[in-house]
Amino acid sequence: MTYFEDNPEIFAAIVAAIAILGGLLGSIIGAKIQANGGRDQAAAAREAARIAAEAQRVAALWNVRQLQVAEYIQGVREVRRLANLFYEQDANATGLEAQLCDARHALSLKLAEVDLTLPFGVVQAAYKVYECLEREVGIARDAGPAEYFLGIVSSQVFSEDPAESELARQAEEAVNELRAAPDTGDPRPRFPLVRVVVQTVRAATGATAEQAMAVVRYVSTGQYPAMRSENIQENAASMATLIMATRSVLRSEDDVIPPVPEQRRRRWRAGAGR
């Protein structure tokens, strides 16, 4: 200490040097801290941007899935509506077959879209709906014309026109006789009855030979009403499964679009806190 007291200029120089070195060290440390903070902020910004992009992707996919399943369900309902018209009108006269063909083609395209974008559980449910609907269409094509023309026969029995009423009565009697005829496994004994049914139904209703034969098949099997009833139940169950599976994927019980996964939110918060 005596040395520094005898040489104050040296002491002052040392103090100045220490101050300078301290300042430089402080600047270096501050710059390093600032640089680290900048890198953390940049990393947090990149993570936030990535999470935002992912959230946008999830939201866009959610919208696409919702639209595709909604359009698929609407397509199913349109095909079913057209299939039911086979029971209510002359399909040949109204061009119903062509309308049904177009609706089924559009539905198959919607099913392909569902197949590409929805989870496997929803896709399985959609195919089950499609299979049930195809059976419904097949039943409608076979049973629909028969029920339609049988309905005409039943109503025309009570026609005020005696000639029209008589033709309908003959057709009804022929149908009832065919219905009551035993099925021995050999169709040949039934051929005369089949011929009478075809002739009388055509005379009473104006049906084509093909449509009259649909009446024959319907009456001969007697299974179409039960098949249709069973198919209606299968359709309702398969559609309910599809709707439930889709609602689960879309999180329909929530009030908002599905959020960003929880793990990614925690990583973003960790980056923001550094």
Side-chain angles (χ1 to χ4, degrees), residues 1 5 27 29 39 43 49 93 127 152 161 167-169 210 228 239 269:
M1 294 297 294
E5 290 176 357
S27 298
I29 293 174
R39 283 195 295 271
Y127 270 96
I152 292 178
D161 184 338
L167 288 174
R169 187 189 62 78
E210 181 181 359
R228 187 184 182 192
M239 181 60 76
R269 287 170 182 162

Side-chain angles (χ1 to χ4, degrees), residues 11-146:
F11 179 75
I14 292 174
V15 171
I18 292 173
I20 293 172
L21 290 174
L24 290 174
L25 181 60
S27 298
I28 293 173
I29 293 174
K32 182 175 179 59
I33 292 174
Q34 186 176 9
N36 289 338
R39 283 195 295 271
D40 288 344
Q41 290 178 352
R46 287 194 299 271
E47 178 69 3
R50 186 184 64 79
I51 290 175
E54 175 67 9
Q56 291 178 353
R57 186 192 70 81
V58 171
L61 181 59
W62 185 90
N63 287 329
V64 167
R65 286 173 168 175
Q66 181 192 42
L67 179 62
Q68 288 178 344
V69 176
E71 290 180 344
Y72 177 72
I73 292 175
Q74 178 59 33
V76 170
R77 290 172 177 168
E78 175 62 12
V79 171
R80 181 168 294 130
R81 183 188 71 83
L82 293 172
N84 287 333
L85 290 179
F86 277 81
Y87 298 90
E88 302 172 6
Q89 58 185 239
D90 184 349
N92 290 349
T94 58
L96 187 55
E97 185 64 42
Q99 298 176 53
L100 180 62
C101 181
D102 291 342
R104 292 174 68 201
H105 177 69
L107 182 64
S108 67
L109 293 179
K110 291 302 175 184
L111 180 59
E113 293 178 357
V114 170
D115 205 358
L116 290 174
T117 59
L118 272 296
F120 185 64
V122 177
V123 172
Q124 279 187 312
Y127 270 96
K128 181 63 176 178
V129 169
Y130 191 81
E131 291 171 4
C132 291
L133 184 64
E134 285 292 284
R135 285 195 293 272
E136 181 176 356
V137 169
I139 293 171
R141 280 173 161 167
D142 291 338

Side-chain angles (χ1 to χ4, degrees), residues 86-87 142-152 214-215 218 224-225 228:
F86 277 81
Y87 298 90
D142 291 338
E147 289 195 14
Y148 172 70
F149 286 104
L150 285 173
I152 292 178
V215 172
Y218 181 89
Y224 284 107
R228 187 184 182 192

Side-chain angles (χ1 to χ4, degrees), residues 233-272:
Q233 296 178 11
E234 290 180 354
N235 284 336
S238 63
M239 181 60 76
T241 299
L242 173 61
I243 291 175
M244 290 177 60
T246 305
R247 286 178 62 86
S248 177
V249 168
L250 298 178
R251 300 183 62 171
S252 298
E253 299 303 320
D254 296 346
D255 294 331
V256 295
I257 294 175
V260 178
E262 180 66 23
Q263 181 181 3
R264 292 175 179 172
R265 289 208 306 270
R266 286 201 299 267
R267 282 161 45 189
W268 180 82
R269 287 170 182 162

